[in-house]
Amino acid sequence: MPVRAAGAESGTGVPKSPSATMEELEHTCPQPRLTLTAPAPFADETSCQCQAPHEKLTIAQARLGTPVDRPVRVYADGIFDLFHAGHARALMQAKTLFPNSYLLVGVCSDDLTHKFKGFTVMNETERYEALRHCRYVDEVIRDAPWTLTPEFLEKHKIDFVAHDDIPYSSAGSDDVYKHIKEAGMFVPTQRTEGISTSDIITRIVRDYDVYARRNLQRGYTAKELNVSFINEKKYRFQNQVDKMKEKVKNVEEKSKEFVYKVEEKSHDLIQKWEEKSREFIGNFLELFGPDGAWKQMFQERSGRMLQAFSPRQSPNSSPTRGRSPSRSPSPPWVINKTSPPSSPKAASASLSSMSEGDEDEK
């Protein structure tokens, strides 16, 4: 990028110093704008018109570079309806053709465009403003001519004209740039395939019903859209049908999401149940299995109960009471059943003898 000339803060190349002479003003050309904080100026609003003699440049000289105060003035023109990326890329190519260039863009008016090409979507004011806000544009020329005349080229000090090399037949001519090419002032640019104003309009016409329904839904009236009463009702009905389809679709998606969550939760619950069941079975076997804690506890308690019911016999070394060796003493309440008393007197005699025996033992 060339160094900007001193005093060219506004993009017009006018020195700020009040002591500048008329001769300095006449030889000062507008400089390419380096700041993008403001839109490009219009040609008829610039405060400085270059009065210096226009020196003819060759393409070879322009490619080598020019002095900072003498940028190469490149001109590109067009309709620029529905300004799109293809337009911007063409202007970028025109801007970068030479190391030091000043890009002027001419935009044809509505009257001229409708006469030679046809109706536009955007009016001329909208098209002018679209060009002013493109970063590659240094100056916009309103109401540009359809065919470039020597007077127009001299007025704007144009060095070269940039356009795609396809012959542009219009206004009774096979190629409106033929005389520019013959003068050695034409520099070709490349078209961007796949996008053009005609392509965009074709998409709109093809999908007219979709855009009409969308704008009706956004609040535009049928009169503003030039839609008949029947078509308006049809479009509104289709919008309602689309809303119902969208609701059904949302319900289906939510249902699928709910089912997925339920399946995921069920899987987690089954997994947790399996883990808990294994833990329960393990604990049960530890408690009630063949070698479980319950069996050991039951055996210990059974041994204690058996000891309680059948205590161990006294040791042989324990002292014994004096008894007759012939028989062990019988309890006093045991009655000799072998010889029952034959009479009450005999029974009383036997009881008295038993009591005497107890006294003897005492």
Side-chain angles (χ1 to χ4, degrees), residues 56-75:
K56 185 69 175 177
L57 290 175
T58 64
I59 294 180
Q61 291 174 333
R63 293 192 188 281
L64 289 174
T66 57
V68 175
D69 59 349
R70 174 57 170 96
V72 180
R73 294 173 68 83
V74 181
Y75 177 79

PDB file of all heavy atoms in Angstrom, residues 56-75:
ATOM      1  N   LYS A  56      -0.670  10.190 -20.316  1.00  0.00           N
ATOM      2  CA  LYS A  56      -1.041   8.854 -20.756  1.00  0.00           C
ATOM      3  C   LYS A  56      -0.102   7.820 -20.150  1.00  0.00           C
ATOM      4  O   LYS A  56       1.117   7.979 -20.169  1.00  0.00           O
ATOM      5  CB  LYS A  56      -0.968   8.795 -22.284  1.00  0.00           C
ATOM      6  CG  LYS A  56      -1.455   7.485 -22.885  1.00  0.00           C
ATOM      7  CD  LYS A  56      -2.955   7.332 -22.723  1.00  0.00           C
ATOM      8  CE  LYS A  56      -3.446   6.078 -23.444  1.00  0.00           C
ATOM      9  NZ  LYS A  56      -4.889   5.869 -23.246  1.00  0.00           N
ATOM     10  N   LEU A  57      -0.674   6.747 -19.589  1.00  0.00           N
ATOM     11  CA  LEU A  57       0.105   5.654 -19.001  1.00  0.00           C
ATOM     12  C   LEU A  57      -0.122   4.387 -19.800  1.00  0.00           C
ATOM     13  O   LEU A  57      -1.222   4.118 -20.299  1.00  0.00           O
ATOM     14  CB  LEU A  57      -0.294   5.412 -17.547  1.00  0.00           C
ATOM     15  CG  LEU A  57       0.090   6.460 -16.509  1.00  0.00           C
ATOM     16  CD1 LEU A  57      -0.513   6.085 -15.164  1.00  0.00           C
ATOM     17  CD2 LEU A  57       1.600   6.590 -16.396  1.00  0.00           C
ATOM     18  N   THR A  58       0.903   3.590 -19.883  1.00  0.00           N
ATOM     19  CA  THR A  58       0.757   2.245 -20.446  1.00  0.00           C
ATOM     20  C   THR A  58       0.535   1.257 -19.306  1.00  0.00           C
ATOM     21  O   THR A  58       0.813   1.541 -18.130  1.00  0.00           O
ATOM     22  CB  THR A  58       2.008   1.846 -21.250  1.00  0.00           C
ATOM     23  OG1 THR A  58       3.135   1.769 -20.344  1.00  0.00           O
ATOM     24  CG2 THR A  58       2.287   2.852 -22.352  1.00  0.00           C
ATOM     25  N   ILE A  59       0.031   0.081 -19.669  1.00  0.00           N
ATOM     26  CA  ILE A  59      -0.210  -0.944 -18.654  1.00  0.00           C
ATOM     27  C   ILE A  59       1.097  -1.367 -17.994  1.00  0.00           C
ATOM     28  O   ILE A  59       1.151  -1.599 -16.779  1.00  0.00           O
ATOM     29  CB  ILE A  59      -0.929  -2.156 -19.280  1.00  0.00           C
ATOM     30  CG1 ILE A  59      -2.342  -1.753 -19.735  1.00  0.00           C
ATOM     31  CG2 ILE A  59      -0.995  -3.318 -18.299  1.00  0.00           C
ATOM     32  CD1 ILE A  59      -3.129  -2.865 -20.373  1.00  0.00           C
ATOM     33  N   ALA A  60       2.164  -1.417 -18.780  1.00  0.00           N
ATOM     34  CA  ALA A  60       3.465  -1.795 -18.218  1.00  0.00           C
ATOM     35  C   ALA A  60       3.930  -0.775 -17.193  1.00  0.00           C
ATOM     36  O   ALA A  60       4.442  -1.134 -16.122  1.00  0.00           O
ATOM     37  CB  ALA A  60       4.489  -1.941 -19.341  1.00  0.00           C
ATOM     38  N   GLN A  61       3.769   0.518 -17.498  1.00  0.00           N
ATOM     39  CA  GLN A  61       4.143   1.558 -16.544  1.00  0.00           C
ATOM     40  C   GLN A  61       3.293   1.463 -15.273  1.00  0.00           C
ATOM     41  O   GLN A  61       3.804   1.624 -14.157  1.00  0.00           O
ATOM     42  CB  GLN A  61       3.986   2.935 -17.195  1.00  0.00           C
ATOM     43  CG  GLN A  61       4.990   3.229 -18.291  1.00  0.00           C
ATOM     44  CD  GLN A  61       4.699   4.537 -18.987  1.00  0.00           C
ATOM     45  OE1 GLN A  61       3.551   4.994 -19.032  1.00  0.00           O
ATOM     46  NE2 GLN A  61       5.751   5.156 -19.546  1.00  0.00           N
ATOM     47  N   ALA A  62       2.014   1.223 -15.448  1.00  0.00           N
ATOM     48  CA  ALA A  62       1.122   1.149 -14.288  1.00  0.00           C
ATOM     49  C   ALA A  62       1.472  -0.044 -13.397  1.00  0.00           C
ATOM     50  O   ALA A  62       1.392   0.042 -12.164  1.00  0.00           O
ATOM     51  CB  ALA A  62      -0.319   1.059 -14.754  1.00  0.00           C
ATOM     52  N   ARG A  63       1.869  -1.159 -14.010  1.00  0.00           N
ATOM     53  CA  ARG A  63       2.208  -2.342 -13.220  1.00  0.00           C
ATOM     54  C   ARG A  63       3.513  -2.156 -12.450  1.00  0.00           C
ATOM     55  O   ARG A  63       3.694  -2.746 -11.393  1.00  0.00           O
ATOM     56  CB  ARG A  63       2.302  -3.577 -14.113  1.00  0.00           C
ATOM     57  CG  ARG A  63       0.967  -3.993 -14.723  1.00  0.00           C
ATOM     58  CD  ARG A  63       1.057  -5.359 -15.359  1.00  0.00           C
ATOM     59  NE  ARG A  63      -0.143  -5.692 -16.106  1.00  0.00           N
ATOM     60  CZ  ARG A  63      -1.284  -6.128 -15.565  1.00  0.00           C
ATOM     61  NH1 ARG A  63      -1.370  -6.267 -14.256  1.00  0.00           N
ATOM     62  NH2 ARG A  63      -2.326  -6.405 -16.328  1.00  0.00           N
ATOM     63  N   LEU A  64       4.411  -1.327 -12.973  1.00  0.00           N
ATOM     64  CA  LEU A  64       5.660  -1.066 -12.257  1.00  0.00           C
ATOM     65  C   LEU A  64       5.449  -0.179 -11.038  1.00  0.00           C
ATOM     66  O   LEU A  64       6.259  -0.186 -10.119  1.00  0.00           O
ATOM     67  CB  LEU A  64       6.678  -0.414 -13.204  1.00  0.00           C
ATOM     68  CG  LEU A  64       7.254  -1.319 -14.295  1.00  0.00           C
ATOM     69  CD1 LEU A  64       8.136  -0.509 -15.240  1.00  0.00           C
ATOM     70  CD2 LEU A  64       8.045  -2.462 -13.677  1.00  0.00           C
ATOM     71  N   GLY A  65       4.373   0.580 -11.022  1.00  0.00           N
ATOM     72  CA  GLY A  65       4.101   1.477  -9.904  1.00  0.00           C
ATOM     73  C   GLY A  65       4.288   2.921 -10.315  1.00  0.00           C
ATOM     74  O   GLY A  65       5.121   3.240 -11.166  1.00  0.00           O
ATOM     75  N   THR A  66       3.523   3.791  -9.698  1.00  0.00           N
ATOM     76  CA  THR A  66       3.567   5.219  -9.989  1.00  0.00           C
ATOM     77  C   THR A  66       3.870   5.986  -8.719  1.00  0.00           C
ATOM     78  O   THR A  66       3.773   5.429  -7.613  1.00  0.00           O
ATOM     79  CB  THR A  66       2.224   5.681 -10.572  1.00  0.00           C
ATOM     80  OG1 THR A  66       1.187   5.347  -9.645  1.00  0.00           O
ATOM     81  CG2 THR A  66       1.930   5.007 -11.913  1.00  0.00           C
ATOM     82  N   PRO A  67       4.232   7.274  -8.835  1.00  0.00           N
ATOM     83  CA  PRO A  67       4.470   8.067  -7.620  1.00  0.00           C
ATOM     84  C   PRO A  67       3.243   8.119  -6.729  1.00  0.00           C
ATOM     85  O   PRO A  67       2.108   7.919  -7.159  1.00  0.00           O
ATOM     86  CB  PRO A  67       4.814   9.447  -8.180  1.00  0.00           C
ATOM     87  CG  PRO A  67       5.283   9.196  -9.561  1.00  0.00           C
ATOM     88  CD  PRO A  67       4.508   8.023 -10.057  1.00  0.00           C
ATOM     89  N   VAL A  68       3.486   8.376  -5.469  1.00  0.00           N
ATOM     90  CA  VAL A  68       2.395   8.393  -4.491  1.00  0.00           C
ATOM     91  C   VAL A  68       1.338   9.419  -4.873  1.00  0.00           C
ATOM     92  O   VAL A  68       0.135   9.187  -4.725  1.00  0.00           O
ATOM     93  CB  VAL A  68       2.958   8.672  -3.089  1.00  0.00           C
ATOM     94  CG1 VAL A  68       1.817   8.818  -2.080  1.00  0.00           C
ATOM     95  CG2 VAL A  68       3.896   7.556  -2.666  1.00  0.00           C
ATOM     96  N   ASP A  69       1.765  10.580  -5.363  1.00  0.00           N
ATOM     97  CA  ASP A  69       0.810  11.633  -5.706  1.00  0.00           C
ATOM     98  C   ASP A  69       0.212  11.450  -7.092  1.00  0.00           C
ATOM     99  O   ASP A  69      -0.509  12.324  -7.574  1.00  0.00           O
ATOM    100  CB  ASP A  69       1.484  13.003  -5.605  1.00  0.00           C
ATOM    101  CG  ASP A  69       2.694  13.119  -6.529  1.00  0.00           C
ATOM    102  OD1 ASP A  69       3.107  12.076  -7.074  1.00  0.00           O
ATOM    103  OD2 ASP A  69       3.221  14.238  -6.689  1.00  0.00           O
ATOM    104  N   ARG A  70       0.509  10.309  -7.723  1.00  0.00           N
ATOM    105  CA  ARG A  70      -0.065  10.032  -9.048  1.00  0.00           C
ATOM    106  C   ARG A  70      -0.570   8.593  -9.103  1.00  0.00           C
ATOM    107  O   ARG A  70       0.007   7.716  -9.734  1.00  0.00           O
ATOM    108  CB  ARG A  70       0.994  10.280 -10.130  1.00  0.00           C
ATOM    109  CG  ARG A  70       0.596   9.903 -11.582  1.00  0.00           C
ATOM    110  CD  ARG A  70      -0.677  10.622 -12.027  1.00  0.00           C
ATOM    111  NE  ARG A  70      -0.890  10.421 -13.465  1.00  0.00           N
ATOM    112  CZ  ARG A  70      -1.681   9.471 -13.990  1.00  0.00           C
ATOM    113  NH1 ARG A  70      -2.310   8.623 -13.184  1.00  0.00           N
ATOM    114  NH2 ARG A  70      -1.843   9.389 -15.289  1.00  0.00           N
ATOM    115  N   PRO A  71      -1.679   8.274  -8.399  1.00  0.00           N
ATOM    116  CA  PRO A  71      -2.229   6.916  -8.479  1.00  0.00           C
ATOM    117  C   PRO A  71      -2.831   6.654  -9.849  1.00  0.00           C
ATOM    118  O   PRO A  71      -3.275   7.565 -10.543  1.00  0.00           O
ATOM    119  CB  PRO A  71      -3.298   6.909  -7.382  1.00  0.00           C
ATOM    120  CG  PRO A  71      -3.713   8.329  -7.244  1.00  0.00           C
ATOM    121  CD  PRO A  71      -2.478   9.151  -7.517  1.00  0.00           C
ATOM    122  N   VAL A  72      -2.862   5.399 -10.219  1.00  0.00           N
ATOM    123  CA  VAL A  72      -3.487   4.989 -11.473  1.00  0.00           C
ATOM    124  C   VAL A  72      -4.998   5.005 -11.278  1.00  0.00           C
ATOM    125  O   VAL A  72      -5.522   4.317 -10.395  1.00  0.00           O
ATOM    126  CB  VAL A  72      -3.010   3.580 -11.888  1.00  0.00           C
ATOM    127  CG1 VAL A  72      -3.661   3.162 -13.209  1.00  0.00           C
ATOM    128  CG2 VAL A  72      -1.506   3.537 -12.004  1.00  0.00           C
ATOM    129  N   ARG A  73      -5.685   5.770 -12.120  1.00  0.00           N
ATOM    130  CA  ARG A  73      -7.141   5.937 -11.970  1.00  0.00           C
ATOM    131  C   ARG A  73      -7.843   4.879 -12.823  1.00  0.00           C
ATOM    132  O   ARG A  73      -7.809   4.926 -14.058  1.00  0.00           O
ATOM    133  CB  ARG A  73      -7.548   7.347 -12.352  1.00  0.00           C
ATOM    134  CG  ARG A  73      -6.975   8.396 -11.395  1.00  0.00           C
ATOM    135  CD  ARG A  73      -7.267   9.812 -11.894  1.00  0.00           C
ATOM    136  NE  ARG A  73      -8.676  10.160 -11.836  1.00  0.00           N
ATOM    137  CZ  ARG A  73      -9.300  10.608 -10.749  1.00  0.00           C
ATOM    138  NH1 ARG A  73      -8.622  10.751  -9.599  1.00  0.00           N
ATOM    139  NH2 ARG A  73     -10.564  10.945 -10.790  1.00  0.00           N
ATOM    140  N   VAL A  74      -8.440   3.930 -12.117  1.00  0.00           N
ATOM    141  CA  VAL A  74      -9.121   2.808 -12.759  1.00  0.00           C
ATOM    142  C   VAL A  74     -10.625   3.023 -12.636  1.00  0.00           C
ATOM    143  O   VAL A  74     -11.130   3.363 -11.550  1.00  0.00           O
ATOM    144  CB  VAL A  74      -8.712   1.464 -12.118  1.00  0.00           C
ATOM    145  CG1 VAL A  74      -9.418   0.298 -12.808  1.00  0.00           C
ATOM    146  CG2 VAL A  74      -7.201   1.286 -12.188  1.00  0.00           C
ATOM    147  N   TYR A  75     -11.341   2.766 -13.728  1.00  0.00           N
ATOM    148  CA  TYR A  75     -12.787   2.981 -13.757  1.00  0.00           C
ATOM    149  C   TYR A  75     -13.489   1.649 -14.011  1.00  0.00           C
ATOM    150  O   TYR A  75     -13.075   0.860 -14.874  1.00  0.00           O
ATOM    151  CB  TYR A  75     -13.164   3.978 -14.857  1.00  0.00           C
ATOM    152  CG  TYR A  75     -14.641   4.197 -15.014  1.00  0.00           C
ATOM    153  CD1 TYR A  75     -15.348   5.030 -14.152  1.00  0.00           C
ATOM    154  CD2 TYR A  75     -15.348   3.577 -16.049  1.00  0.00           C
ATOM    155  CE1 TYR A  75     -16.713   5.235 -14.307  1.00  0.00           C
ATOM    156  CE2 TYR A  75     -16.711   3.777 -16.210  1.00  0.00           C
ATOM    157  CZ  TYR A  75     -17.386   4.607 -15.337  1.00  0.00           C
ATOM    158  OH  TYR A  75     -18.745   4.810 -15.491  1.00  0.00           O
TER     159      TYR A  75
END
